[in-house]
Amino acid sequence: MGGRYRLVFWGALFVAAAATFGAYRLLAANSRAGQVVTQPVVVAGQDIPEGSVIDRIALRTVQLPVQMIPVGAFSSTDSVHGRVTRVSVFNGEPIVPGRLAPVGTGPGLELKIPPGQRAMAVRINDVAGISGLLQPNSRVDVLVTLPDGQNSNKQVAKLFMSNMLVLSVGTEIQRDQSGKSINATTVTLAVTPEEAERLAIAMNTGAIQLVLRGYGDPDSVRTKGATSTDVLAQLQGTAVPVAQPQSPNTRPRVVYRPLPPAVKPTPPPPPPPPPQSALVNVYRAGKATPQKFDTAGKR
């Protein structure tokens, strides 16, 4: 009997140990299934403008879930330190290769120049610069005003470049004829080599103005230009609308025709001359009697 009880005791102890070990394995598996796996990722510790050299002070490392890490994100600040941002990076944003310029690129405007284009500076006055409203990444049309080749007193204005990208806006100190320093606004545009040639001719032969475009307006502008004669016709004429265009987003074109010469009214006839007479008081016995005489002295 004693041997039988010992066998039952050791059998029960073994079964309890096996059940405890199985419960432990099951709880450990469930714990690992609910655990989030993270990895270190380099993020911006502050807002970093485009074209800036990244310093270690502007970086920090955080732990992010593996599922949330962007493709190509850096895990060490040594891989990002000294690189130049191609676009603006905001505070807390992971650093990825797409937001950085190629290795060895220095800071400067060349990072913003689209492929196949060039950066060209245009000097304009404050009015042509839309009173300081132009900002980098704005889109503008270029308006040139030139003297007419056949008549030096006649001018021609034409929009000859559309949807141009503004790379930068700044001011430079210049001297006028008296030697006084003045501020000149300089706008740098992204142009193709052919556009740079035409823009250089326009700046040297006429006046340049920039027309600010609305956000998201990619349409090209095609106009016939305006002359001094058109402006005078508009001031002296009447507007006559022509046929409506097919596009509903296009304004109806208006032409101006000169008014006929004004007809002068016929002046009224002159008033009749005053009568040739005079009124004289004749006194008889102290009593005044008016008598009318003509210029010939006849009563």
Side-chain angles (χ1 to χ4, degrees), residues 212-242:
L212 183 63
R213 297 176 67 96
Y215 176 76
D217 183 9
D219 295 337
S220 300
V221 177
R222 296 185 180 274
T223 62
K224 66 174 183 178
T227 64
S228 303
T229 304
D230 298 330
V231 177
L232 293 176
Q234 180 176 352
L235 296 176
Q236 300 175 358
T238 178
V240 180
V242 297

CSV table of all heavy atoms in Angstrom, one decimal, residues 212-242:
chain,number,residue,atom,x,y,z
A,212,LEU,N,1.7,88.3,-60.8
A,212,LEU,CA,1.5,87.1,-59.9
A,212,LEU,C,0.3,86.3,-60.3
A,212,LEU,O,-0.8,86.8,-60.5
A,212,LEU,CB,1.3,87.6,-58.4
A,212,LEU,CG,1.2,86.5,-57.3
A,212,LEU,CD1,2.4,85.7,-57.2
A,212,LEU,CD2,0.9,87.2,-56.0
A,213,ARG,N,0.5,85.0,-60.3
A,213,ARG,CA,-0.6,84.0,-60.7
A,213,ARG,C,-1.2,83.5,-59.4
A,213,ARG,O,-0.6,83.4,-58.4
A,213,ARG,CB,0.0,82.9,-61.5
A,213,ARG,CG,0.6,83.3,-62.8
A,213,ARG,CD,1.2,82.1,-63.5
A,213,ARG,NE,0.2,81.1,-63.9
A,213,ARG,CZ,-0.3,81.1,-65.2
A,213,ARG,NH1,0.1,81.9,-66.1
A,213,ARG,NH2,-1.2,80.2,-65.5
A,214,GLY,N,-2.5,83.0,-59.6
A,214,GLY,CA,-3.2,82.4,-58.5
A,214,GLY,C,-2.7,81.0,-58.2
A,214,GLY,O,-2.1,80.4,-59.1
A,215,TYR,N,-2.9,80.5,-57.0
A,215,TYR,CA,-2.4,79.2,-56.7
A,215,TYR,C,-3.1,78.1,-57.5
A,215,TYR,O,-4.3,78.1,-57.6
A,215,TYR,CB,-2.6,78.9,-55.2
A,215,TYR,CG,-2.2,77.5,-54.8
A,215,TYR,CD1,-0.9,77.1,-54.6
A,215,TYR,CD2,-3.2,76.5,-54.5
A,215,TYR,CE1,-0.5,75.9,-54.2
A,215,TYR,CE2,-2.8,75.3,-54.1
A,215,TYR,CZ,-1.5,74.9,-54.0
A,215,TYR,OH,-1.1,73.7,-53.6
A,216,GLY,N,-2.4,77.2,-58.1
A,216,GLY,CA,-3.0,76.1,-58.8
A,216,GLY,C,-3.5,76.5,-60.2
A,216,GLY,O,-4.5,75.9,-60.7
A,217,ASP,N,-3.0,77.6,-60.8
A,217,ASP,CA,-3.5,78.0,-62.1
A,217,ASP,C,-2.4,77.7,-63.1
A,217,ASP,O,-1.5,78.5,-63.3
A,217,ASP,CB,-3.8,79.5,-62.1
A,217,ASP,CG,-4.3,80.0,-63.4
A,217,ASP,OD1,-4.6,79.2,-64.3
A,217,ASP,OD2,-4.4,81.3,-63.6
A,218,PRO,N,-2.4,76.5,-63.8
A,218,PRO,CA,-1.3,76.1,-64.7
A,218,PRO,C,-1.6,76.6,-66.1
A,218,PRO,O,-0.8,76.2,-67.0
A,218,PRO,CB,-1.4,74.6,-64.6
A,218,PRO,CG,-2.8,74.3,-64.3
A,218,PRO,CD,-3.4,75.4,-63.6
A,219,ASP,N,-2.7,77.2,-66.4
A,219,ASP,CA,-3.0,77.6,-67.8
A,219,ASP,C,-2.0,78.5,-68.4
A,219,ASP,O,-1.5,79.5,-67.7
A,219,ASP,CB,-4.4,78.2,-67.9
A,219,ASP,CG,-5.5,77.2,-67.5
A,219,ASP,OD1,-5.2,76.0,-67.6
A,219,ASP,OD2,-6.6,77.7,-67.1
A,220,SER,N,-1.6,78.3,-69.6
A,220,SER,CA,-0.7,79.2,-70.3
A,220,SER,C,-1.5,80.4,-70.9
A,220,SER,O,-2.7,80.3,-71.1
A,220,SER,CB,0.0,78.5,-71.5
A,220,SER,OG,0.7,77.4,-71.1
A,221,VAL,N,-0.8,81.5,-71.0
A,221,VAL,CA,-1.5,82.7,-71.4
A,221,VAL,C,-1.0,83.1,-72.8
A,221,VAL,O,0.2,83.1,-73.1
A,221,VAL,CB,-1.1,83.9,-70.5
A,221,VAL,CG1,-1.7,85.2,-70.9
A,221,VAL,CG2,-1.6,83.6,-69.1
A,222,ARG,N,-2.0,83.3,-73.7
A,222,ARG,CA,-1.7,83.7,-75.1
A,222,ARG,C,-2.5,85.0,-75.4
A,222,ARG,O,-3.7,84.9,-75.5
A,222,ARG,CB,-2.0,82.6,-76.1
A,222,ARG,CG,-1.2,81.3,-75.9
A,222,ARG,CD,-1.5,80.3,-77.0
A,222,ARG,NE,-0.7,79.1,-76.8
A,222,ARG,CZ,0.5,78.9,-77.2
A,222,ARG,NH1,1.1,79.9,-77.9
A,222,ARG,NH2,1.2,77.8,-77.0
A,223,THR,N,-1.8,86.1,-75.6
A,223,THR,CA,-2.4,87.3,-75.9
A,223,THR,C,-1.7,87.9,-77.1
A,223,THR,O,-0.6,87.6,-77.5
A,223,THR,CB,-2.3,88.3,-74.7
A,223,THR,OG1,-0.9,88.6,-74.5
A,223,THR,CG2,-2.9,87.7,-73.4
A,224,LYS,N,-2.5,88.8,-77.7
A,224,LYS,CA,-1.9,89.5,-78.9
A,224,LYS,C,-1.1,90.7,-78.5
A,224,LYS,O,-0.5,91.4,-79.4
A,224,LYS,CB,-3.0,89.9,-79.9
A,224,LYS,CG,-4.0,91.0,-79.3
A,224,LYS,CD,-5.0,91.5,-80.3
A,224,LYS,CE,-5.8,92.6,-79.7
A,224,LYS,NZ,-6.8,93.1,-80.7
A,225,GLY,N,-1.1,91.1,-77.2
A,225,GLY,CA,-0.4,92.3,-76.8
A,225,GLY,C,-1.2,93.5,-76.9
A,225,GLY,O,-2.3,93.6,-77.5
A,226,ALA,N,-0.8,94.6,-76.3
A,226,ALA,CA,-1.5,95.9,-76.3
A,226,ALA,C,-0.5,97.0,-76.7
A,226,ALA,O,0.7,96.9,-76.4
A,226,ALA,CB,-2.1,96.2,-74.9
A,227,THR,N,-1.0,97.9,-77.4
A,227,THR,CA,-0.2,99.1,-77.9
A,227,THR,C,-0.8,100.4,-77.4
A,227,THR,O,-1.9,100.4,-76.8
A,227,THR,CB,-0.2,99.1,-79.4
A,227,THR,OG1,-1.5,99.3,-79.9
A,227,THR,CG2,0.4,97.8,-80.0
A,228,SER,N,-0.1,101.5,-77.6
A,228,SER,CA,-0.6,102.8,-77.2
A,228,SER,C,-1.9,103.1,-77.9
A,228,SER,O,-2.8,103.7,-77.3
A,228,SER,CB,0.4,103.9,-77.5
A,228,SER,OG,1.6,103.5,-76.8
A,229,THR,N,-2.0,102.7,-79.1
A,229,THR,CA,-3.3,102.9,-79.9
A,229,THR,C,-4.5,102.2,-79.2
A,229,THR,O,-5.6,102.8,-79.1
A,229,THR,CB,-3.1,102.5,-81.3
A,229,THR,OG1,-2.0,103.1,-81.9
A,229,THR,CG2,-4.3,102.8,-82.1
A,230,ASP,N,-4.3,101.0,-78.7
A,230,ASP,CA,-5.3,100.2,-78.1
A,230,ASP,C,-5.8,100.9,-76.8
A,230,ASP,O,-7.0,101.0,-76.5
A,230,ASP,CB,-4.9,98.8,-77.8
A,230,ASP,CG,-4.5,98.0,-79.0
A,230,ASP,OD1,-5.1,98.3,-80.1
A,230,ASP,OD2,-3.7,97.1,-78.9
A,231,VAL,N,-4.8,101.5,-76.0
A,231,VAL,CA,-5.2,102.2,-74.8
A,231,VAL,C,-5.9,103.4,-75.1
A,231,VAL,O,-7.0,103.7,-74.5
A,231,VAL,CB,-3.9,102.5,-74.0
A,231,VAL,CG1,-4.2,103.3,-72.7
A,231,VAL,CG2,-3.2,101.2,-73.6
A,232,LEU,N,-5.5,104.2,-76.1
A,232,LEU,CA,-6.2,105.4,-76.5
A,232,LEU,C,-7.6,105.1,-77.0
A,232,LEU,O,-8.6,105.8,-76.7
A,232,LEU,CB,-5.4,106.2,-77.5
A,232,LEU,CG,-4.1,106.8,-77.0
A,232,LEU,CD1,-3.3,107.5,-78.2
A,232,LEU,CD2,-4.3,107.8,-75.9
A,233,ALA,N,-7.7,104.0,-77.8
A,233,ALA,CA,-9.0,103.6,-78.3
A,233,ALA,C,-10.0,103.2,-77.1
A,233,ALA,O,-11.2,103.5,-77.2
A,233,ALA,CB,-8.9,102.4,-79.2
A,234,GLN,N,-9.4,102.6,-76.1
A,234,GLN,CA,-10.3,102.2,-74.9
A,234,GLN,C,-10.7,103.5,-74.2
A,234,GLN,O,-11.8,103.6,-73.7
A,234,GLN,CB,-9.5,101.3,-74.0
A,234,GLN,CG,-10.3,100.9,-72.8
A,234,GLN,CD,-9.6,99.9,-71.9
A,234,GLN,OE1,-8.5,99.4,-72.3
A,234,GLN,NE2,-10.1,99.6,-70.8
A,235,LEU,N,-9.8,104.5,-74.1
A,235,LEU,CA,-10.1,105.7,-73.3
A,235,LEU,C,-11.1,106.5,-74.1
A,235,LEU,O,-12.0,107.2,-73.5
A,235,LEU,CB,-8.9,106.5,-73.0
A,235,LEU,CG,-7.9,105.8,-72.1
A,235,LEU,CD1,-6.6,106.7,-72.0
A,235,LEU,CD2,-8.5,105.6,-70.7
A,236,GLN,N,-11.0,106.5,-75.4
A,236,GLN,CA,-11.9,107.4,-76.2
A,236,GLN,C,-13.1,106.7,-76.9
A,236,GLN,O,-13.9,107.3,-77.5
A,236,GLN,CB,-11.0,108.0,-77.3
A,236,GLN,CG,-9.9,108.9,-76.8
A,236,GLN,CD,-9.0,109.4,-77.9
A,236,GLN,OE1,-9.2,109.1,-79.1
A,236,GLN,NE2,-8.0,110.2,-77.6
A,237,GLY,N,-13.1,105.3,-76.7
A,237,GLY,CA,-14.1,104.6,-77.4
A,237,GLY,C,-15.1,103.9,-76.5
A,237,GLY,O,-15.2,104.2,-75.3
A,238,THR,N,-15.9,103.0,-77.2
A,238,THR,CA,-16.9,102.3,-76.4
A,238,THR,C,-16.7,100.8,-76.6
A,238,THR,O,-16.1,100.3,-77.6
A,238,THR,CB,-18.3,102.6,-77.0
A,238,THR,OG1,-19.3,101.9,-76.4
A,238,THR,CG2,-18.4,102.3,-78.5
A,239,ALA,N,-17.0,100.0,-75.6
A,239,ALA,CA,-16.7,98.6,-75.5
A,239,ALA,C,-17.8,97.9,-76.3
A,239,ALA,O,-19.0,98.1,-76.1
A,239,ALA,CB,-16.7,98.1,-74.1
A,240,VAL,N,-17.4,97.0,-77.2
A,240,VAL,CA,-18.3,96.2,-78.0
A,240,VAL,C,-17.9,94.7,-77.8
A,240,VAL,O,-16.9,94.3,-78.3
A,240,VAL,CB,-18.2,96.6,-79.5
A,240,VAL,CG1,-19.2,95.7,-80.3
A,240,VAL,CG2,-18.5,98.1,-79.7
A,241,PRO,N,-18.7,93.9,-77.1
A,241,PRO,CA,-18.3,92.5,-76.9
A,241,PRO,C,-18.5,91.7,-78.2
A,241,PRO,O,-19.5,91.9,-78.9
A,241,PRO,CB,-19.3,92.0,-75.8
A,241,PRO,CG,-20.5,93.0,-75.9
A,241,PRO,CD,-19.9,94.3,-76.4
A,242,VAL,N,-17.6,90.8,-78.4
A,242,VAL,CA,-17.7,89.9,-79.6
A,242,VAL,C,-18.3,88.6,-79.1
A,242,VAL,O,-18.8,88.4,-78.0
A,242,VAL,CB,-16.3,89.7,-80.2
A,242,VAL,CG1,-15.8,91.1,-80.7
A,242,VAL,CG2,-15.4,89.1,-79.2
